[in-house]
Structures are given as structure tokens and as C-alpha cells.
Amino acid sequence: MANDNKLTLAGLAKLAGVSISTVSRALNDNPLIKKETREKLQALAKEHNFSLNRAASRLRTQKTNVVAVILNLTSSTDQSISDPFLLKVVGDLNQALNQRGYELLLSNSLMATEDWSNYFINSSRADGIIVIGQGKSTSKVEQVAQSGAPLVVWGDPKRQANYAVVGSNNELGGYLATQHLVNGSCQRIAFLGDPEHAEMSERYKGYQRALQEAGLPFELELTLSCDITSKAAYDKIAAEILSKGLHFDGIVATSDMVALGAMKALKERYISIPGDVSIVGFDDIAMAELLHPALTTVKQNTKAAAEIMVEQLVRQFNGQQANSEVVDIELMVRKSSKLV
Amino acid sequence: MANDNKLTLAGLAKLAGVSISTVSRALNDNPLIKKETREKLQALAKEHNFSLNRAASRLRTQKTNVVAVILNLTSSTDQSISDPFLLKVVGDLNQALNQRGYELLLSNSLMATEDWSNYFINSSRADGIIVIGQGKSTSKVEQVAQSGAPLVVWGDPKRQANYAVVGSNNELGGYLATQHLVNGSCQRIAFLGDPEHAEMSERYKGYQRALQEAGLPFELELTLSCDITSKAAYDKIAAEILSKGLHFDGIVATSDMVALGAMKALKERYISIPGDVSIVGFDDIAMAELLHPALTTVKQNTKAAAEIMVEQLVRQFNGQQANSEVVDIELMVRKSSKLV
DNA sequence: TTGAAAGCGCTACCAC
DNA sequence: GTGGTAGCGCTTTCAA
């Protein structure tokens, strides 16, 4: 406060009458320093509002304690950027990283156009990378994996990949959602979303498996392919009903936002949910239970997932092998689907 | 690739047969270096996958090109963390910052418990701080302002503060929302939210002004005070109806999430929206128009706001004075309110 | 248990 | 236009 030119370790050392090394060790809680001295110096630092210069320590230690989190967005539509689910994952990662002493540098695939490994890791901006979403294209991610940089991806862990993927059991999720509709006596169950998107394609497989087990025919016209935004889903359902009439009595949506769009299209046509059409979402975003009717959905445990992702990333920092890991999902039965 | 020990400027210089200074200038696009040489060296850098070590340049230049964005959360409830509106602001800031060459370090008030200025600025983690939300407590923010660190706050710009505040015209928003309900012949208009929260209190003032102008009495029992989460709003409306019956025919909600909670409580009781109760939200999150009925709401222009915030922060980097600035709002009339 | 000093990789001042 | 070099503030080896 009083002294305006910024305080450094050297300055603090002078103030305390000890060497720079001693202050450095004390502030890093190094047990080499006598506990008494350590506490005295820490108190002094606090008193003078001193904080170690991270740029300097990062340069010296070659470690940043920063993790770059990259939202792997499919397109530049506003919708996909603001999908509450993605942002929930960011929030949970923030928490998990902080608990381990890491900071979160936020970026997304639309901004970071260069080689990610080069940009974030070689440049000492971050120690590792977490990519949220495998999306349709994984070439950037592969590039990072090739470079050997510490990397964890939120996506579909069942996909074989040469990097660690953490994600929900999407196939099972799709299966349970579909099975739930089958049990509710739905006969013509549609799949709404993008079957080519990594995570979504697994949900699609689960959907097909459930149909088969139930002895229901798989009909291609029940695969309602659309972008994974509410708007696209809304348009798709509207167009479908316009051209073919209401030819389905159940919808397995690939995300809650997609389900939301579908619900709106149905309600506008006075189609009862779940009376005429049952619907199951995916994600369990905060809003799901607040919709009317409350949305039955497959809950992804993002908090647990975030912790696992950080754990796997830290393993790589320590030179250990990182593994893909499956996070449990759970069917949340609410009001948008008929009960058995 | 072939050479495994990390390349530095010195290494590149040797490879190119020029001095370190020349490579440094070339990679920083310094016009002192002949264009030809510059391009040759940039190509060489790309070829060898070289990236300048940021830790080193930050130490040297005393500038990080990083901005800390702090979500000033009210409580640790999941809801407030995942309010899509806050996260929309983060997304827009990310974009605005990147366009100006800054990176976004994400944090929140629950994690960053220390003195923010000390933690982020003194430590050279970031050059400036953007705080999202004035919330109820502004002491941490005041502390940053006191320290003289570059700071911009998303909040209510009408509040007098010794730091730059960018935000919507909340008073006008509250006024327009209320006026709209008045025009739709609502007689007993409730205000739902937290009148003590900085931004919200201005909306509350606007609500009162509109009532007064319309010659409607201001009744305290129509101030429905609750936490600004969907859940709290849902509970509040449910409790209100249970204890006093449906004693209002319009609701001015302090956020879309709050409106969502209220809508659910109403729908569950088969109260028609907007037939029995009209409702207006605030924010215009992506979901607002996808609700059924589509939510009439006051749109906050977060994209414009984000650009202004970054602009004001950069002004401070350049030693200029930063000013509070008001961002225009716009009433989005949809289906949850009666028309005139 | 503490101190001296080298050096992390870069930028920018000064010299040519 | 280009090169030599000091030094940003820290950590850590080595010495005491």
C-alpha cells in the first residue's frame, strides 16, 4: 500500500532479514524451513499483500498449474454455445480443477483455430487440455493426442480412441430411454437428433437394441435426424407432422434441449404429452424438472465425470497411463412419459 | 517431432542462422524486421511447431494478456451456478476477449476466497478482472477497486460505485415489463424475486414506478420475495397460492429462470397463462421462446455488453479512465402475457 | 536449517 | 535491419 513499486521475493527477504531462498521456501510451505520461521514469513507476506509472481515461477518450474478447457462446438450457432449442459460441465470442471490446485483457462473450438497442443502446451499456457465434446469431427483432438500432450476428452468412452475419453454410458442411456417408452406401451418410437455425432450415435445404437429386444420393427422413417439444438428439433417435428401426420407415439431425444424443442412443437399442435406422445430427454439439465410436464430424461452425472476427468489428467501429469472411463447414468422418470 | 528437447528461440535462431533478437522480432511481427525475413522465420517456426513460451514473455513484459472472469455467485446452490444467463455472459465475454487477443481465466466467488486483486493481479495471473454480478455483497469487488487493479463489473450501472459497471437499464426493464402487464389489463401485478439484490432492486424500482404511473396501488403483499432460482420461485408461488389464493393476475419475474419456476407452479394448478395470470421474465435466455407459452421477457443484450466490458477494461490497461455504461434492453413480447 | 547463485526463455535497450 | 546482452522474479542445487 504505502510502498508502490511492486514487492518481490527479494524485497520481502530484505524486510524480513533473511535470504531469498528462505522466503521462497517458506511461502511454498517447504518443511525444510523451521515451522516458526515459515509462519512468520507467511504472515509477513500477507501483511504486505505479497503474492508470488506466477509468470516467474512458471518459467522456472516449467509448470503452469493451468488446464485449458476447450468447448468443442459443432457450429457457430448461438444455441450450441449456450447449451446449459455444456456449461454445467464447465462449472463442474472448474470446481474439480480448483480442488486440485489448477486453474481453468476457457476456450472453444471456434476461437482456438491453431494446433491446440502447440498453442496451449508448447507455449506454456497450460499443462494439459480437456476437450468437452467429441462432436462430429475429432481431427483436432487426434492431433493433440498425437503430440503426446496431456489430454482428456468428454465424449463417448466406448469409442476406441488413442486418448482417454470420459463420458456416460450413452448406449445404455439410449437403451433405457427407449425401453422406458416401450414399457409405457409406445408402439412407434422416434429417435430425434443427430445419429452421426459421436455420443449421439451410441444413444442411437441403444435405441435400436431396445427396439429389437422388444420385438418392435426398426423403421428408418422413425429416425428423425436434426441438428442438436432446440430450434432444429422444433422445426424437424413441425415439418414431420406437417408432411406425414403424427406417425409416432414416443420420442427419444438426444438431449434435453432437443426434447424441449420437440415439446414446444407438439404443444402448439395440442398434442398431449404424454397422452399422445411420450418423450424422454438426455442430460437432466436443471430445467428438465421445471418443464411442464416435467421431463423424463437420462441423467448424466457431470460432477462425478468432472472429477474423473481431472483425475485422469493428473495421472498424465505424473507420467502415468490414463484410461477411458464410463460414468453411470440414471433414468429420471418424470411426467413427460407414460408409466407402465 | 524428431528433436525431443523443447525448441526455444535460441534453438530456432541457430537453425535459421540469425540472432535471437531477430527471431523474437519476427515472431512478434515487428516491422523492424524485413518482411521477407519475417515470413521466412514465421514459416520456420510453424514447420518446427514452435510457440513462444508465454511464461517467459509474461515475466519479461509484465503483461499476461489474460483476464480473470469471476462469477460472483450468491450461494452455493447448484441452480445459481448453472443459470444459463450467467453462462451466456461468460461465452460472450470469451468471444469479446479473444477478439482483442486476451484469454479467459475462469473463476468464481466460491473458489476464489482470497483477496482477488492480490491473487490474480499481483501474482501476474491476469492483467485485469471482470466480475459477473454485483449480487448482494460487493465487498470483494470494492476491495479490488481499492487496490486500483483494472476492473469491470457486470451489474447495475445506475448504482453509484467507484468502479466501472456495465449492465442493462434494469429500472427501465422493470418498468417496461410492468407497463406491458398494465396495458394487458392486469390489475394486481406481483413482483417475484429478490428486491435486495443489486440489479434486481432496480427492476423493483421500475416496477413501482410503472404501477404509480398507471394509478395502481403499490401493495406490499404483491412483493413476492424469493431467492433468484427456479426452485425458490416455484416454492414461493405454490406457498402463496396455498395461503392466500390466487390474489394476483400478473407477475414481473426478476429472471427467466424465476419465471420458469413460477410458470410451473401455475400450470400444475391449471391456472392459465396468460388467461388467468400474465407473466414477464427477464434476460431472454435461449429457452425463453421455447417455453410453452413462449415467455414474454426483457432481453439483455449480452453480446453488446461483453464487448463494452472488454473495451472498458482495455481502457484501463492503457491508463485511461473507465466509465460505467448502460446497455439497452428490449421487451420481447411473446405468449405468456395478454396483448393490449 | 539457511544462504549464494545459476538459469528458466523471453524482450528490449543499445550498439553497429 | 540486425545482433549482443541484461534482466524480468522465481526455484533449486550446492555449499555451509
Side-chain angles (χ1 to χ4, degrees):
Chain A
M1 278 278 154
N3 190 359
D4 222 35
N5 41 7
K6 201 164 282 172
L7 206 52
T8 66
L9 267 191
L12 252 196
K14 193 162 287 175
L15 277 171
V18 295
S19 75
I20 296 179
S21 327
T22 302
V23 190
S24 171
R25 290 187 179 112
L27 297 188
N28 285 309
D29 242 348
N30 188 324
L32 270 181
I33 304 296
K34 211 195 319 176
K35 195 169 174 215
E36 202 182 308
T37 324
R38 238 188 298 161
E39 285 169 353
K40 201 189 70 190
L41 291 172
Q42 287 173 2
L44 190 74
K46 180 153 282 179
E47 182 192 334
H48 287 272
N49 240 311
F50 174 80
S51 239
L52 283 170
N53 184 319
R54 288 301 149 187
S57 48
R58 284 172 187 167
L59 173 57
R60 178 59 232 238
T61 61
Q62 305 283 49
K63 193 164 180 341
T64 64
N65 283 298
V66 170
V67 170
V69 171
I70 304 176
L71 288 175
N72 198 11
L73 301 170
T74 307
S75 70
S76 59
T77 56
D78 273 345
Q79 282 281 13
S80 67
I81 291 182
S82 63
D83 185 326
F85 178 71
L86 288 186
L87 298 158
K88 172 76 160 51
V89 176
V90 173
D92 288 332
L93 277 173
N94 194 195
Q95 180 142 356
L97 286 168
N98 270 268
Q99 262 158 17
R100 296 261 200 159
Y102 292 93
E103 325 222 332
L104 191 163
L105 190 69
L106 185 66
S107 192
N108 69 56
S109 56
L110 305 175
M111 324 247 79
T113 48
E114 291 182 55
D115 169 357
W116 294 343
S117 171
N118 196 20
Y119 184 80
F120 291 106
I121 309 301
N122 284 352
S123 72
S124 283
R125 273 178 240 261
D127 297 333
I129 296 178
I130 293 179
V131 177
I132 303 181
Q134 281 178 298
K136 286 181 161 178
S137 143
T138 53
S139 61
K140 286 249 172 185
V141 179
E142 304 271 354
Q143 194 179 28
V144 176
Q146 291 291 325
S147 79
L151 167 72
V152 174
V153 176
W154 167 265
D156 195 281
K158 294 219 167 169
R159 288 228 160 165
Q160 219 39 54
N162 55 339
Y163 45 85
V165 182
V166 174
S168 294
N169 192 333
N170 289 300
E171 200 273 345
L172 181 61
Y175 175 82
L176 290 177
T178 311
Q179 190 188 46
H180 173 70
L181 293 183
V182 167
N183 290 343
S185 305
C186 292
Q187 295 291 320
R188 294 185 52 80
I189 302 170
F191 180 90
L192 179 64
D194 185 352
E196 282 169 37
H197 185 288
E199 292 101 303
M200 312 303 167
S201 77
E202 288 294 319
R203 297 174 196 170
Y204 188 49
K205 282 186 199 159
Y207 158 80
Q208 291 173 310
R209 178 160 68 92
L211 286 184
Q212 191 168 34
E213 278 190 15
L216 289 173
F218 168 72
E219 296 180 39
L220 209 54
E221 73 165 359
L222 286 173
T223 297
L224 308 180
S225 188
C226 73
D227 235 14
I228 50 175
T229 68
S230 300
K231 182 73 174 62
Y234 172 84
D235 292 344
K236 182 70 186 182
I237 292 294
E240 194 69 17
I241 294 176
L242 185 65
S243 67
K244 303 189 187 159
L246 186 64
H247 65 96
F248 48 83
D249 58 6
I251 297 177
V252 172
T254 49
S255 80
D256 289 347
M257 289 305 278
V258 162
L260 179 59
M263 282 170 83
K264 183 180 170 74
L266 295 174
K267 286 188 203 164
E268 281 183 357
R269 284 160 187 78
Y270 303 102
I271 296 166
S272 158
I273 304 169
D276 300 324
V277 176
S278 285
I279 184 160
V280 184
F282 213 107
D283 293 345
D284 194 29
I285 58 182
M287 188 195 7
E289 67 173 327
L290 289 157
L291 294 175
H292 190 80
L295 184 63
T296 293
T297 190
V298 177
K299 174 179 181 159
Q300 302 207 65
N301 192 341
T302 55
K303 191 160 154 40
E307 280 160 13
I308 293 171
M309 292 172 81
V310 174
E311 162 76 24
Q312 292 298 335
L313 196 65
V314 170
R315 285 177 64 87
Q316 293 177 62
F317 292 160
N318 298 332
Q320 294 173 280
Q321 165 87 46
N323 311 304
S324 289
E325 205 161 320
V326 176
V327 183
D328 281 346
I329 45 88
E330 186 184 355
L331 182 71
M332 310 295 289
V333 177
R334 301 206 178 95
K335 304 290 186 190
S336 66
S337 56
K338 272 179 286 195
L339 294 181
V340 190
Chain B
M1 277 276 151
N3 191 358
D4 223 33
N5 40 7
K6 202 165 280 171
L7 206 51
T8 66
L9 267 190
L12 252 195
K14 192 161 286 174
L15 276 171
V18 294
S19 76
I20 296 179
S21 327
T22 303
V23 191
S24 172
R25 291 187 179 110
L27 296 188
N28 285 308
D29 242 346
N30 188 324
L32 270 179
I33 303 297
K34 210 194 323 178
K35 192 163 178 223
E36 201 183 309
T37 324
R38 237 187 301 160
E39 285 170 353
K40 201 189 72 190
L41 291 172
Q42 287 173 1
L44 190 72
K46 180 152 279 178
E47 182 193 333
H48 287 272
N49 239 309
F50 174 80
S51 239
L52 284 170
N53 184 319
R54 288 302 148 184
S57 49
R58 284 171 187 168
L59 173 58
R60 178 61 232 239
T61 60
Q62 305 283 48
K63 194 166 180 339
T64 65
N65 283 299
V66 170
V67 170
V69 171
I70 304 177
L71 288 175
N72 197 12
L73 301 170
T74 308
S75 69
S76 58
T77 57
D78 274 344
Q79 283 281 14
S80 67
I81 292 182
S82 62
D83 186 326
F85 177 71
L86 288 186
L87 298 159
K88 172 76 160 48
V89 176
V90 173
D92 288 332
L93 277 173
N94 194 193
Q95 182 142 358
L97 286 169
N98 270 268
Q99 262 156 20
R100 296 261 199 158
Y102 293 93
E103 324 223 332
L104 191 163
L105 190 68
L106 185 67
S107 193
N108 69 56
S109 56
L110 305 175
M111 324 247 79
T113 49
E114 289 181 57
D115 168 359
W116 293 343
S117 171
N118 196 20
Y119 184 80
F120 290 107
I121 309 301
N122 285 351
S123 72
S124 283
R125 273 178 241 260
D127 297 333
I129 296 179
I130 293 179
V131 178
I132 303 181
Q134 281 178 299
K136 286 181 160 179
S137 146
T138 53
S139 62
K140 287 248 169 186
V141 180
E142 304 272 354
Q143 193 179 28
V144 176
Q146 292 290 327
S147 80
L151 167 71
V152 174
V153 175
W154 166 264
D156 195 280
K158 295 219 166 167
R159 286 230 161 163
Q160 220 39 56
N162 56 339
Y163 45 85
V165 182
V166 174
S168 295
N169 192 334
N170 290 299
E171 200 274 345
L172 182 60
Y175 174 82
L176 291 177
T178 311
Q179 190 187 47
H180 173 70
L181 293 182
V182 168
N183 290 344
S185 305
C186 292
Q187 297 291 322
R188 294 185 51 81
I189 303 171
F191 180 88
L192 179 63
D194 183 353
E196 283 169 36
H197 185 287
E199 293 102 302
M200 312 303 166
S201 76
E202 289 294 320
R203 296 174 197 170
Y204 188 50
K205 284 185 199 157
Y207 157 80
Q208 291 173 310
R209 178 160 68 90
L211 287 184
Q212 192 168 34
E213 279 189 15
L216 288 173
F218 168 72
E219 298 180 37
L220 208 54
E221 72 164 0
L222 285 173
T223 297
L224 308 180
S225 188
C226 73
D227 236 15
I228 50 176
T229 67
S230 300
K231 183 72 174 61
Y234 171 85
D235 292 343
K236 182 72 187 180
I237 292 294
E240 195 69 16
I241 294 177
L242 185 63
S243 66
K244 302 188 187 159
L246 186 64
H247 65 97
F248 48 83
D249 57 5
I251 298 177
V252 173
T254 49
S255 80
D256 288 347
M257 289 305 277
V258 162
L260 178 58
M263 281 171 82
K264 183 183 171 71
L266 295 174
K267 285 189 204 164
E268 282 184 358
R269 286 161 186 77
Y270 302 102
I271 295 165
S272 157
I273 305 169
D276 300 323
V277 176
S278 284
I279 184 160
V280 184
F282 213 107
D283 292 347
D284 194 28
I285 57 180
M287 189 195 6
E289 66 172 327
L290 289 158
L291 294 176
H292 188 83
L295 184 65
T296 293
T297 191
V298 178
K299 174 178 180 160
Q300 302 206 67
N301 193 342
T302 56
K303 192 162 152 43
E307 279 160 14
I308 293 171
M309 293 172 82
V310 174
E311 162 76 25
Q312 292 297 335
L313 197 65
V314 170
R315 285 178 64 86
Q316 294 177 63
F317 292 161
N318 298 332
Q320 294 173 278
Q321 166 88 46
N323 311 304
S324 288
E325 206 160 321
V326 175
V327 183
D328 280 346
I329 45 89
E330 186 184 354
L331 182 70
M332 311 295 289
V333 177
R334 300 207 179 95
K335 304 290 185 188
S336 67
S337 56
K338 271 178 286 196
L339 294 181
V340 192

